[in-house]
Amino acid sequence: MESFIFSLNATIPIFLVMVLGNILIRTNFFTRDFVNHADRYVYRVALPVLLFKQIATADIYEEFDIRFVLYCMIVTTVIFGGIWLLSYLLFKDKSEVGAFTQAASRGSAAILGIAFIESIYGNSGMGPLMILSSVPLYNIYSVIILTFSAADRTSGKNAIKKSLISILKNPILIGIFAGLPFALFRIQIPTIPMKTITLVAQTASPIALLVVGANFEGKKALAKMKPTCIATLLKLIIIPAIFIPVAVLIGFRNEALVAIAIMLGSPTTVTCYIMAKNLKNDEVLSSSIIVLATLLSSFSLTAIVFILRYNGLI
């Protein structure tokens, strides 16, 4: 029951903020122009700053485990590659490929991960190492897949050149790579800029959630219910069911296993919507998957934690 209550406390507020965004746009408290500007702000400013802060402040040497790092990186690569291939085989409408792949592959590891580990063990432990191992790859693979799946992509050599330039100029990746030297060389950011960075970073998630809610279109989402359900099933059930047993067989236990479980089983992150829309992919499908996965994740995450505890693995 404790795990269930914690899961509800972690996921239901996220869902309710999205509902609030939808209410505010329907009552004309939010204008469409405001929502579009807020969308761009999150993508170009708040989210890159948040990722910079998470990477720059991660203590990767405290509990560095090369097996853990390699596991997170290899599994993330296999998941993205496998689902990208699956989506090409699955969908006749290729415009859905990028949004589906990202939303089915990418969980809210950075936002929920440390909170879950701290709830169970009292400290984040392997959380920062999991974030540093997986989140940069989440963003790199997402940008590549969304860029090559974009609705307005041209063909031939120009397409490759344009895609590569778009990837290199992507603000999400710039934020990640800007933070890496601070983590690797343990560079301390002075108090005033650090507080400024923190304040900006704290705006990313709530504004992004309001934007997702404001842009959620029920009728269009219902038309995409099949891919939404498939992506949610993959994200919350199938991926954890495949890769958590692998982690157990390798020998991961306790904090490391919880971090892996959160990486694999957390709901689709709100970042998926922001990136899909800004990179000209199917934002309706993205928002639909985010809403359903967030709503159901309190049950699936509780089940994962219960099974791991029952078997004495955490």
Side-chain angles (χ1 to χ4, degrees):
M1 180 57 71
E2 181 186 344
S3 297
F4 178 63
I5 295 299
F6 176 77
S7 296
L8 288 177
N9 288 337
T11 56
I12 295 301
I14 293 173
F15 179 75
L16 292 177
V17 174
M18 289 190 284
V19 171
L20 175 62
N22 194 263
I23 292 171
L24 292 173
I25 194 73
R26 288 177 179 274
T27 56
N28 296 319
F29 192 90
F30 280 175
T31 64
R32 182 56 55 191
D33 189 53
F34 169 80
V35 172
N36 289 336
H37 280 86
D39 189 323
R40 291 214 309 272
Y41 163 75
V42 173
Y43 179 69
R44 297 183 180 278
V45 180
L47 192 55
V49 171
L50 173 63
L51 290 168
F52 168 82
K53 178 179 180 289
Q54 288 176 336
I55 299 300
T57 58
D59 189 348
I60 60 173
Y61 298 106
E62 183 72 21
E63 298 184 45
F64 187 79
D65 182 344
I66 188 62
R67 289 189 316 143
F68 181 83
V69 171
L70 288 175
Y71 175 88
C72 292
M73 294 178 72
I74 291 169
V75 167
T76 298
T77 303
V78 169
I79 290 170
F80 268 89
I83 293 180
W84 196 9
L85 176 62
L86 174 66
S87 62
Y88 264 105
L89 300 175
L90 199 62
F91 296 122
K92 292 180 180 178
D93 183 357
K94 301 306 179 188
S95 67
E96 296 179 335
V97 166
F100 177 89
T101 301
Q102 182 190 209
S105 305
R106 179 178 185 171
S108 186
I111 296 173
L112 292 181
I114 290 179
F116 261 89
I117 299 168
E118 286 181 342
S119 174
I120 296 171
Y121 288 104
N123 61 77
S124 60
M126 301 297 286
L129 194 59
M130 179 268 286
I131 290 171
L132 194 63
S133 303
S134 60
V135 171
L137 290 181
Y138 281 174
N139 288 278
I140 291 168
Y141 294 149
S142 293
V143 170
I144 292 171
I145 290 167
L146 291 171
T147 300
F148 281 95
S149 303
D152 62 350
R153 191 168 65 89
T154 53
S155 58
K157 292 182 179 179
N158 287 336
I160 297 173
K161 182 179 178 181
K162 184 179 178 181
S163 297
L164 289 174
I165 292 171
S166 177
I167 290 167
L168 292 173
K169 291 170 64 177
N170 185 273
I172 305 292
L173 299 188
I174 291 171
I176 288 169
F177 287 114
L180 280 174
F182 289 85
L184 293 173
F185 300 108
R186 288 181 163 173
I187 300 171
Q188 293 292 319
I189 301 173
T191 301
I192 291 176
M194 189 67 226
K195 285 188 175 181
T196 305
I197 289 167
T198 300
L199 287 171
V200 175
Q202 287 172 342
T203 67
S205 294
I207 294 178
L209 291 169
L210 289 170
V211 167
V212 170
N215 283 306
F216 181 72
E217 300 178 68
K219 290 182 179 178
K220 290 184 179 179
L222 285 174
K224 297 178 181 292
M225 192 48 63
K226 182 178 178 181
T228 295
C229 291
I230 293 172
T232 302
L233 181 66
L234 282 166
K235 184 71 206 70
L236 300 183
I237 306 298
I238 296 175
I239 289 173
I242 293 172
F243 292 103
I244 290 177
V246 173
V248 172
L249 289 174
I250 291 172
F252 294 117
R253 297 290 186 275
N254 300 320
E255 287 181 66
L257 189 58
V258 172
I260 288 168
I262 298 305
M263 180 188 80
L264 296 169
S266 57
T268 302
T269 177
V270 66
T271 306
C272 290
Y273 172 84
I274 301 296
M275 292 183 69
K277 184 175 182 182
N278 282 273
L279 291 173
K280 305 292 189 275
N281 279 255
D282 192 337
E283 72 270 18
V284 174
L285 177 58
S286 295
S287 65
S288 180
I289 296 169
I290 291 166
V291 169
L292 185 61
T294 301
L295 188 59
L296 297 180
S297 63
S298 58
F299 300 98
S300 61
L301 280 172
T302 301
I304 290 171
V305 170
F306 174 77
I307 291 168
L308 295 179
R309 275 184 166 175
Y310 182 79
N311 288 281
L313 299 170
I314 63 173

